[in-house]
Amino acid sequence: MKIVVGGQVDKKEIESLIKEIDSSITTMIKSDLEAAMAVKTGQADYYVGACHTGGGGALAMAIALLGKPNCETVSMPGKKPVEEKIVTAVNEGKKAFGFTADHKDAAVPMIIKALKNRS
């Protein structure tokens, strides 16, 4: 599995979290545009990114290039990630996941678990 890390904040921390969970996952840190293009062209399987709102800077380029139906806002200020919603999004085939930076410690493990167990 190849995951590209985009978004506006905490890219290195997010990449480290992914590697702590599963060191066999290939990760790349890129700009938002490059990250979304990597998914679009098949160079990466999934996109994750964080910003301060969960959907703006985290997902704007992914939404523009991959389309809204392929993107999921996992958390927003005051709205923590919900594992069941992440599992549903993954099973629906979504490829890009955005969340607020303060939720990365909860969101990233939920996303990786859902991706590894997708049906």
Side-chain angles (χ1 to χ4, degrees), residues 16-27:
S16 293
L17 281 169
I18 294 168
K19 288 295 193 185
E20 285 174 27
I21 296 164
D22 187 340
S23 61
S24 72
I25 295 173
T26 301
T27 57

Side-chain angles (χ1 to χ4, degrees), residues 29-44:
I29 294 176
K30 295 187 177 284
S31 71
D32 294 352
L33 179 58
E34 292 172 322
M37 281 301 292
V39 174
K40 185 172 181 138
T41 60
Q43 296 171 26

Side-chain angles (χ1 to χ4, degrees), residues 5-15 50 100-102 104:
V5 181
Q8 296 299 306
V9 295
D10 295 354
K11 292 180 188 184
K12 289 184 182 192
E13 293 89 341
I14 292 166
E15 182 183 43
T100 57
D102 60 329
K104 69 181 176 281

